[in-house]
Amino acid sequence: MALERRAARLVAAGATMLAMGCSGKWTAQESGAAMAGGAGGSEGTAQGGDPGSAEACAAGEARCNASGLRETCTSDGAWSVSDFVCARSVAVDDEVGSTCVTKADGSYRCWGDDPGGALPAERYRRVQLARQGLIGLTEDGRLLAAGTVLPDGLPPASTFRATNMWDYTGVCPLFVDGSFAVVLDGTSFNRPLPPDEDAVRRMEGSFTQAFCVFEGLAVGVRSDGSLWQSHGTETPPGEFTEVAFSNRIFCALTKAGGIRCFEPNFACSRTGIVDCAGPEYPEFSGGPYRSITATDGAVCAIDAEGALTCRRYDGADMPIDAGRFTFIEGGNSVLCGVRTDGSAACFRHGGWSLDEVGQFVPAALDPGW
């Protein structure tokens, strides 16, 4: 039943996104003060030198400096600072495929239907437009939401992801101290939590990466490089740095920069679906790679130079000639990322089952984002 609900939702969401085309509907909310010195250390920002750096460069090259502003290389081989504020992160909702871009100055813009209100005026590290509305992580680690009920007293978070968890809206933060939790909104979907259920479910261990996936799955990389997953199937051994995960694929990035993909997970083992990962698994030669992510039909990775490679779950190539990236995130049928010049880019493939998944096509974002 869970997969049937998911398929129906994905068909409806896909039809909505196709009807919107590339123009989409951007939510009106933007927050954050004007750039005044900027916010360095952004997740997706390619960090360059100080503004006005005298470091030599190749004409036409572009990067983001430590203040979050784009620098371009002039014809005489010197860096010139512009007023373009670089993107910090892109958040893709893995249930409905909405997209949000957050910039280095804490402002954001989201693409998709927003059922809720505006977030408080703050400087944000990450904003996601989930089914219940906007959820944001402020620069000082607070989680704020419009439309989703969050408990008071959550510790500071370093990142989060929101999705449907057991038919509740789930917000899954990775806290600054390395702990990980699933936070459930018992008011969502008109189904209150049972009296003996906790709204905050903490997972054992210290994590460097952890997040949730549609239909109640959770996965993480522990501080020692081992993998953790919530769905009860065998966890592959090894030392890893990141995972790419959906209810149809499970791949992991090794500490050496290789990529390993494993047996079908939760959905396949419990429903008998045979096309979860197809007759073959994605294989990634080359590398070393430094980041991976997954949509409903593809696994994508960026290598040490920022080049993007995508493979369908059955191993078929999904070429994207899209430039160099510092950050990528996938969900639903959408892949988004932050380029080395600080611009955001998104792509969409059709279909959910393997015989329907097509090639990625660009999805235009508003100018400046």
Side-chain angles (χ1 to χ4, degrees):
M1 288 300 294
L3 283 176
E4 292 174 358
R5 289 196 304 272
R6 177 177 174 82
R9 290 169 183 161
L10 287 173
V11 169
T16 300
M17 295 299 284
L18 288 173
M20 288 184 327
C22 289
S23 59
K25 173 191 172 186
W26 283 99
T27 62
Q29 295 86 5
E30 292 184 39
S31 61
M35 197 75 169
S42 303
E43 290 87 340
T45 302
Q47 298 298 317
D50 295 330
S53 169
E55 179 186 345
C57 55
E61 187 180 356
R63 68 181 187 181
C64 295
N65 66 26
S67 295
L69 295 176
R70 179 185 288 169
E71 294 181 341
T72 56
C73 189
T74 62
S75 59
D76 59 359
W79 289 108
S80 176
V81 181
S82 74
D83 60 0
F84 181 89
V85 181
C86 296
R88 160 179 283 175
S89 67
V90 181
V92 179
D93 187 274
D94 71 343
E95 180 179 6
V96 299
S98 60
T99 304
C100 295
V101 178
T102 306
K103 291 212 166 198
D105 62 359
S107 63
Y108 66 91
R109 188 172 289 185
C110 294
W111 192 22
D113 289 327
D114 182 5
L119 290 172
E122 296 277 355
R123 291 173 62 103
Y124 290 93
R125 295 179 62 86
R126 174 184 168 90
V127 174
Q128 181 182 338
L129 177 54
R131 181 171 179 168
Q132 296 290 107
L134 293 165
I135 302 170
L137 176 65
T138 66
E139 290 188 344
D140 60 0
R142 289 172 293 131
L143 281 169
L144 304 175
T148 298
V149 178
L150 298 176
D152 295 329
L154 291 174
S158 58
T159 189
F160 77 93
R161 192 164 189 178
T163 192
N164 181 325
M165 297 293 288
W166 312 294
D167 283 334
Y168 298 102
T169 293
V171 181
C172 303
L174 177 63
F175 298 116
V176 171
D177 64 5
S179 61
F180 171 56
V182 179
V183 180
L184 301 178
D185 178 359
T187 69
S188 59
F189 302 104
N190 297 315
R191 192 163 78 92
L193 285 171
D196 58 344
E197 291 283 352
D198 293 329
V200 180
R201 303 181 182 182
R202 296 186 180 274
M203 311 303 174
E204 292 185 7
S206 176
F207 296 89
T208 58
Q209 185 203 22
F211 59 94
C212 295
V213 180
F214 190 91
E215 295 293 7
L217 308 181
V219 67
V221 181
R222 295 189 182 96
S223 300
D224 63 2
S226 63
L227 297 179
W228 170 88
Q229 53 187 327
S230 65
H231 51 75
T233 57
E234 183 177 355
T235 302
E239 289 188 87
F240 303 94
T241 59
E242 280 192 10
V243 290
F245 190 71
S246 79
N247 62 6
R248 301 168 67 214
I249 196 69
F250 187 8
C251 297
L253 180 67
T254 70
K255 286 191 172 182
I259 297 174
R260 292 172 54 194
C261 295
F262 309 107
E263 292 292 326
N265 53 51
F266 178 91
C268 306
S269 62
R270 295 207 178 182
T271 67
I273 292 176
V274 297
D275 74 342
C276 283
E280 305 291 340
Y281 295 104
E283 292 186 4
F284 291 80
S285 58
Y289 296 94
R290 58 186 176 85
S291 187
I292 58 173
T293 191
T295 72
D296 281 337
V299 176
C300 297
I302 50 177
D303 65 18
E305 302 300 320
L308 179 61
T309 300
C310 292
R311 300 273 188 269
R312 207 167 70 168
Y313 286 177
D314 60 359
D317 188 33
M318 297 180 70
I320 301 180
D321 184 12
R324 304 286 176 172
F325 287 81
T326 64
F327 175 88
I328 52 173
E329 181 166 303
N332 196 277
S333 59
V334 182
L335 171 73
C336 292
V338 178
R339 293 192 179 103
T340 54
D341 67 358
S343 63
C346 290
F347 309 86
R348 186 179 298 115
H349 65 70
W352 185 63
S353 64
L354 286 180
D355 58 353
E356 297 174 340
V357 173
Q359 296 296 318
F360 280 108
V361 295
L365 304 182
D366 280 3
W369 288 85

